[in-house]
CSV table of all heavy atoms in Angstrom, one decimal:
chain,number,residue,atom,x,y,z
W,102,LEU,N,26.8,-12.0,10.7
W,102,LEU,CA,28.2,-12.1,11.2
W,102,LEU,C,28.2,-12.9,12.5
W,102,LEU,O,28.2,-12.4,13.6
W,102,LEU,CB,28.9,-10.8,11.4
W,102,LEU,CG,28.8,-9.8,10.2
W,102,LEU,CD1,29.4,-8.5,10.6
W,102,LEU,CD2,29.4,-10.4,9.0
W,103,PRO,N,28.1,-14.3,12.4
W,103,PRO,CA,28.1,-15.1,13.6
W,103,PRO,C,29.4,-15.0,14.3
W,103,PRO,O,30.5,-14.8,13.7
W,103,PRO,CB,27.8,-16.5,13.1
W,103,PRO,CG,28.2,-16.5,11.7
W,103,PRO,CD,28.0,-15.1,11.2
W,104,CYS,N,29.4,-15.2,15.7
W,104,CYS,CA,30.6,-15.1,16.5
W,104,CYS,C,31.6,-16.2,16.2
W,104,CYS,O,32.8,-16.0,16.4
W,104,CYS,CB,30.3,-15.0,17.9
W,104,CYS,SG,29.9,-16.6,18.7
W,105,GLY,N,31.1,-17.4,15.8
W,105,GLY,CA,32.0,-18.5,15.5
W,105,GLY,C,32.5,-19.3,16.8
W,105,GLY,O,33.2,-20.3,16.6
W,106,ARG,N,32.1,-18.8,18.0
W,106,ARG,CA,32.6,-19.4,19.2
W,106,ARG,C,31.5,-20.0,20.1
W,106,ARG,O,31.8,-20.9,20.9
W,106,ARG,CB,33.3,-18.4,20.0
W,106,ARG,CG,34.6,-17.9,19.4
W,106,ARG,CD,35.3,-16.9,20.3
W,106,ARG,NE,34.7,-15.6,20.2
W,106,ARG,CZ,35.0,-14.7,19.4
W,106,ARG,NH1,36.0,-14.8,18.5
W,106,ARG,NH2,34.4,-13.5,19.3
W,107,CYS,N,30.3,-19.5,20.0
W,107,CYS,CA,29.2,-19.9,20.9
W,107,CYS,C,28.8,-21.3,20.6
W,107,CYS,O,29.1,-21.9,19.6
W,107,CYS,CB,28.0,-18.9,20.9
W,107,CYS,SG,27.0,-19.1,19.4
W,108,PRO,N,28.0,-22.0,21.5
W,108,PRO,CA,27.6,-23.4,21.3
W,108,PRO,C,26.8,-23.6,20.0
W,108,PRO,O,27.0,-24.6,19.3
W,108,PRO,CB,26.7,-23.7,22.5
W,108,PRO,CG,27.2,-22.7,23.6
W,108,PRO,CD,27.6,-21.5,22.9
W,109,GLU,N,26.0,-22.6,19.6
W,109,GLU,CA,25.2,-22.7,18.4
W,109,GLU,C,26.1,-22.6,17.2
W,109,GLU,O,26.0,-23.4,16.2
W,109,GLU,CB,24.1,-21.7,18.3
W,109,GLU,CG,23.1,-21.7,19.4
W,109,GLU,CD,22.3,-23.1,19.5
W,109,GLU,OE1,22.5,-24.0,18.7
W,109,GLU,OE2,21.4,-23.1,20.3
W,110,CYS,N,27.0,-21.7,17.2
W,110,CYS,CA,28.0,-21.6,16.1
W,110,CYS,C,28.8,-22.9,16.0
W,110,CYS,O,29.1,-23.4,14.9
W,110,CYS,CB,29.0,-20.4,16.3
W,110,CYS,SG,28.2,-18.9,15.8
W,111,GLN,N,29.2,-23.5,17.1
W,111,GLN,CA,30.0,-24.7,17.1
W,111,GLN,C,29.3,-25.9,16.6
W,111,GLN,O,29.9,-26.8,16.0
W,111,GLN,CB,30.5,-25.0,18.6
W,111,GLN,CG,31.6,-24.1,19.0
W,111,GLN,CD,32.2,-24.4,20.4
W,111,GLN,OE1,31.5,-24.9,21.2
W,111,GLN,NE2,33.4,-24.1,20.6
W,114,ALA,N,24.9,-24.1,13.7
W,114,ALA,CA,23.7,-23.3,13.6
W,114,ALA,C,24.0,-21.8,13.7
W,114,ALA,O,23.6,-21.1,14.6
W,114,ALA,CB,22.7,-23.7,14.7
W,115,VAL,N,24.7,-21.3,12.7
W,115,VAL,CA,25.3,-20.0,12.8
W,115,VAL,C,24.2,-18.9,12.8
W,115,VAL,O,24.4,-17.8,13.3
W,115,VAL,CB,26.3,-19.7,11.7
W,115,VAL,CG1,27.6,-20.6,11.9
W,115,VAL,CG2,25.8,-19.9,10.3
W,117,GLN,N,21.6,-19.1,14.5
W,117,GLN,CA,21.1,-19.0,15.9
W,117,GLN,C,22.2,-18.5,16.9
W,117,GLN,O,22.1,-18.7,18.1
W,117,GLN,CB,20.6,-20.4,16.4
W,117,GLN,CG,19.5,-21.0,15.5
W,117,GLN,CD,18.2,-20.1,15.5
W,117,GLN,OE1,18.0,-19.4,16.5
W,117,GLN,NE2,17.5,-20.1,14.5
W,118,CYS,N,23.3,-18.0,16.4
W,118,CYS,CA,24.4,-17.5,17.2
W,118,CYS,C,23.9,-16.6,18.3
W,118,CYS,O,23.0,-15.8,18.2
W,118,CYS,CB,25.3,-16.6,16.3
W,118,CYS,SG,26.6,-15.8,17.2
W,119,HIS,N,24.5,-16.8,19.5
W,119,HIS,CA,24.2,-16.1,20.7
W,119,HIS,C,24.6,-14.6,20.6
W,119,HIS,O,24.2,-13.8,21.4
W,119,HIS,CB,24.7,-16.7,22.0
W,119,HIS,CG,24.1,-18.1,22.2
W,119,HIS,ND1,24.6,-18.9,23.2
W,119,HIS,CD2,23.1,-18.7,21.7
W,119,HIS,CE1,23.9,-20.0,23.2
W,119,HIS,NE2,22.9,-19.9,22.3
W,120,ASP,N,25.5,-14.3,19.7
W,120,ASP,CA,26.1,-13.0,19.7
W,120,ASP,C,26.2,-12.5,18.2
W,120,ASP,O,27.2,-12.1,17.7
W,120,ASP,CB,27.5,-13.0,20.3
W,120,ASP,CG,28.1,-11.6,20.5
W,120,ASP,OD1,27.2,-10.7,20.6
W,120,ASP,OD2,29.3,-11.5,20.7
W,121,LEU,N,25.0,-12.7,17.5
W,121,LEU,CA,24.9,-12.4,16.1
W,121,LEU,C,25.0,-10.9,15.8
W,121,LEU,O,24.2,-10.2,16.3
W,121,LEU,CB,23.7,-13.0,15.5
W,121,LEU,CG,23.5,-13.0,14.0
W,121,LEU,CD1,24.5,-13.9,13.3
W,121,LEU,CD2,22.1,-13.5,13.6
Y,2,ZN,ZN1,28.0,-17.7,17.8
Side-chain angles (χ1 to χ4, degrees):
L102 309 176
C104 76
R106 291 181 285 268
C107 74
E109 299 298 5
C110 283
Q111 283 184 331
V115 294
Q117 301 297 334
C118 173
H119 292 172
D120 192 20
L121 187 66

